[in-house]
């Protein structure tokens, strides 16, 4: 618990302290040998920090996709979901960006974690699009994945304050700027896929 708390403190530090096994051991007042008795490397430690965070995903945003969104409420539901997903990212920004960065460097365990966290969203989006129509699901699966990729990528950009510094966004930058466009994209795709599925039926 001391180790996990130390890692969480470093990740929550406002000055983006670098995180490493050494910095965690120092923060936890432990020797490196003691740290390695619990975690073999930084990936294993970060996965342990991620576990309780990802356990909140269902309540934070997945549950919103659980019930079918009627056409007449689709616009509002899409905004509600994208905002909830954005807020989840904003609360856990440094940790989630670190996970994605490690995954982008082909850390297999982080790739698996990242995929595991997006698959439930894609599955629920697919259900919103075509229900349980097996034929339509085969065709729409890639579309659901693309919507998820677009929403996640826009939110990762919006919540990465280091990127904002690099590209010159000032302190007035609105990190919510992608919520309505992302929700609109999701709405258009769901409506279009539902319409095409109904026409085939």
């Amino acid at each position: 618990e001391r180790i996990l708390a130390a890692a969480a403190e470093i990740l929550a530090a406002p000055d983006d302290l670098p995180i490493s096994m050494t910095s965690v051991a120092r923060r936890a007042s432990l020797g490196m040998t003691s740290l390695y008795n619990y975690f073999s490397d930084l990936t294993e430690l970060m996965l342990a920090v991620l576990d309780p965070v990802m356990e909140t995903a269902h309540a934070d945003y997945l549950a919103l996709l659980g019930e079918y969104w009627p056409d007449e409420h689709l616009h509002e539901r899409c905004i509600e979901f994208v905002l909830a997903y954005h807020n989840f990212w904003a609360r856990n920004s440094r940790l989630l960006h670190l996970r994605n960065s490690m995954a982008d460097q082909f850390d297999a365990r982080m790739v698996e974690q990242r995929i595991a966290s997006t698959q439930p969203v894609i599955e629920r989006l697919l259900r919103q699009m075509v229900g349980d129509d097996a034929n339509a699901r085969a065709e729409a699966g890639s579309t659901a994945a693309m919507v998820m990729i677009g929403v996640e990528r826009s939110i990762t950009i919006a919540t990465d304050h280091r990127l904002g510094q690099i590209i010159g966004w000032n302190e007035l930058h609105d990190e919510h700027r992608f919520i309505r466009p992302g929700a609109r994209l999701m709405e258009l795709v769901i409506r279009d896929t539902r319409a095409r599925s109904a026409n085939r039926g």
Side-chain angles (χ1 to χ4, degrees):
E1 288 180 1
R2 280 171 60 195
I3 294 168
L4 294 177
E9 287 172 12
I10 293 171
L11 289 167
D15 50 358
D16 284 348
L17 294 172
I19 188 161
S20 65
M21 295 295 274
T22 302
S23 65
V24 172
R26 189 178 303 119
R27 178 65 66 105
S29 301
L30 289 172
M32 293 301 292
T33 301
S34 297
L35 180 59
Y36 281 112
N37 282 337
Y38 292 95
F39 300 100
S40 62
D41 57 19
L42 186 61
T43 299
E44 188 176 348
L45 174 55
M46 290 300 96
L47 287 170
V49 176
L50 270 163
D51 278 346
V53 169
M54 298 313 300
E55 284 175 6
T56 70
H58 186 271
D60 286 349
Y61 60 85
L62 271 178
L64 296 172
L65 279 167
E67 294 183 14
Y68 185 80
W69 296 343
D71 288 342
E72 62 270 21
H73 299 302
L74 191 54
H75 178 72
E76 294 84 2
R77 294 294 177 268
C78 288
I79 290 177
E80 185 181 11
F81 170 77
V82 175
L83 179 59
Y85 191 65
H86 174 277
N87 290 341
F88 174 81
W89 263 84
R91 280 193 304 276
N92 304 289
S93 177
R94 179 102 188 273
L95 177 61
L96 294 172
H97 280 104
L98 179 61
R99 177 202 65 185
N100 285 6
S101 176
M102 294 172 77
D104 289 343
Q105 294 170 30
F106 305 107
D107 182 314
R109 289 168 291 171
M110 284 301 186
V111 170
E112 290 172 8
Q113 202 288 332
R114 189 178 186 181
I115 291 171
S117 72
T118 57
Q119 282 179 331
V121 179
I122 294 169
E123 176 57 33
R124 285 165 175 79
L125 274 175
L126 190 53
R127 197 170 295 131
Q128 292 293 338
M129 292 160 63
V130 296
D132 295 319
D133 183 336
N135 293 329
R137 287 171 65 85
E139 180 181 331
S142 297
T143 304
M146 285 302 297
V147 170
M148 178 58 198
I149 290 167
V151 169
E152 184 193 41
R153 187 62 185 145
S154 66
I155 288 172
T156 61
I157 291 170
T159 58
D160 190 340
H161 301 294
R162 295 165 304 163
L163 179 62
Q165 293 170 355
I166 292 170
I167 65 176
W169 286 340
N170 61 28
E171 61 274 7
L172 299 177
H173 165 68
D174 179 10
E175 73 174 34
H176 292 85
R177 66 188 296 174
F178 297 123
I179 289 175
R180 287 194 175 276
R184 182 62 174 150
L185 171 66
M186 180 182 288
E187 178 190 355
L188 290 171
V189 170
I190 292 172
R191 286 192 190 282
D192 178 69
T193 310
R194 284 179 181 180
R196 286 189 290 119
S197 181
N199 289 338
R200 280 195 300 267

